[in-house]
Amino acid sequence: MKKIKIKILPVVFVLAVASVIAAAVMIYNMLEESNNPLLTSKPDIVLPNFVGITEEQAKSDKNFSFEVEYVYNDEYEENVIISQKPKAPRSVKQNSTVKLKVSKGTMVSEMPAVLMESRGLAEQKLNEIGVHIYFQKEENSEMPAGLVIRTEPEAGTLVTSGEMVTVYISTPEKIKNGVVPDIMGKDISEARRMIVKSRFKMNIINVESPEQPGTVVWYAHGAGAQLPIGTQIDIHVSAGPDYDD
């Protein structure tokens, strides 16, 4: 009986070649889809500027694919492109992906209540509604330093993104000095006006004196003295020569 010889080697060779071809095709397709500028056969084209046109107008250009992010913006109308990546003009491969930011228009929100909150927390809440913030320090003796005293506009007011709001932050009240005016020989009415204008308090003491009644004959500290505003000043006022307390 003759033995049948099976030719195994040619079959293995054919299978190996087929596997190599299949792998090569797969790799080629992957490189095609990757948009790798060194390996793709897609042509180079000029990327136009899409900023300032609508999303629909941009997407009418079939040379590109798009990824879109929608954001509030007070400078661009709704559905208008405010930025793109990559920026134009430049050469890119056809069918490249362009990332667009598209305006959702102006956001209208209610001014949040931030009274008695820290500057950082107030800033965080206001950033969420897209307003511009101006912080103004204001002396306040009743509230701890660094907290919000008030806002303009007030909480509950409708504001738009991009609008300027003012936040007043408490700072310790500084002790200010005033200058004692020269009231010697003045009538008490005139002396009172001068003392009040200088933001001091008065303690009037009537005394016996040969001077015209109602005339200042002495006062504490003297003219030109610098004292903390609100200091009480003793003032001796003539009650006439026959005054008996």
Side-chain angles (χ1 to χ4, degrees):
M1 180 181 293
K2 294 183 179 180
K3 294 182 180 180
I4 301 174
K5 295 182 179 179
I6 302 176
K7 297 181 180 180
I8 298 177
L9 185 59
V11 173
V12 172
F13 177 75
V14 171
L15 291 175
V17 171
S19 298
V20 171
I21 294 174
V25 171
M26 183 181 299
I27 293 172
Y28 177 80
N29 289 335
M30 290 175 62
L31 294 176
E32 275 285 301
E33 295 175 358
S34 70
N35 286 327
N36 189 314
L38 297 176
L39 301 172
T40 183
S41 60
K42 294 176 181 178
D44 288 333
I45 58 175
V46 176
L47 174 66
N49 182 21
F50 296 116
V51 175
I53 66 174
T54 65
E55 177 185 355
E56 292 74 16
Q57 290 172 323
K59 287 184 175 179
S60 67
D61 191 332
K62 302 304 180 182
N63 289 311
F64 306 95
S65 59
F66 298 95
E67 291 181 6
V68 181
E69 178 185 357
Y70 300 95
V71 295
Y72 285 106
N73 189 281
D74 59 303
E75 297 181 3
Y76 289 85
E77 295 181 0
E78 188 174 359
N79 293 324
V80 173
I81 297 168
I82 63 178
S83 68
Q84 70 181 69
K85 188 177 181 180
K87 294 182 179 180
R90 61 179 296 176
S91 293
V92 296
K93 292 296 179 181
Q94 190 176 30
N95 294 332
S96 293
T97 298
V98 182
K99 296 182 179 180
L100 304 177
K101 282 190 177 181
V102 177
S103 173
K104 293 169 66 175
T106 300
M107 176 171 57
V108 179
S109 307
E110 190 175 280
M111 182 74 175
V114 294
L115 182 66
M116 290 290 291
E117 293 185 351
S118 66
R119 170 173 174 158
L121 185 56
E123 185 173 14
Q124 179 182 338
K125 288 185 176 182
L126 293 172
N127 282 337
E128 291 175 357
I129 62 172
V131 295
H132 297 301
I133 312 167
Y134 175 69
F135 288 102
Q136 176 68 49
K137 293 181 179 180
E138 186 173 279
E139 292 182 10
N140 190 292
S141 60
E142 299 178 357
M143 189 175 292
L147 299 185
V148 177
I149 304 172
R150 57 192 173 90
T151 62
E152 293 178 355
E154 297 179 347
T157 305
L158 293 180
V159 294
T160 58
S161 57
E163 184 176 339
M164 178 66 73
V165 300
T166 303
V167 179
Y168 292 87
I169 303 295
S170 174
T171 60
E173 190 171 26
K174 297 178 181 177
I175 298 177
K176 297 179 180 179
N177 288 338
V179 178
V180 177
D182 184 3
I183 59 173
M184 182 64 72
K186 301 288 185 182
D187 178 78
I188 186 58
S189 297
E190 176 66 11
R192 180 181 288 107
R193 185 191 67 79
M194 296 171 67
I195 290 294
V196 170
K197 183 178 180 181
S198 300
R199 300 174 67 181
F200 295 115
K201 297 177 181 179
M202 299 174 60
N203 180 35
I204 298 176
I205 303 170
N206 292 315
V207 296
E208 182 180 345
S209 171
E211 299 294 332
Q212 178 74 21
T215 302
V216 175
V217 295
W218 178 88
Y219 59 102
H221 309 294
Q226 294 190 13
L227 303 173
I229 288 174
T231 299
Q232 181 172 280
I233 300 176
D234 292 337
I235 301 175
H236 289 185
V237 177
S238 172
D242 300 323
Y243 178 71
D244 185 12
D245 189 2

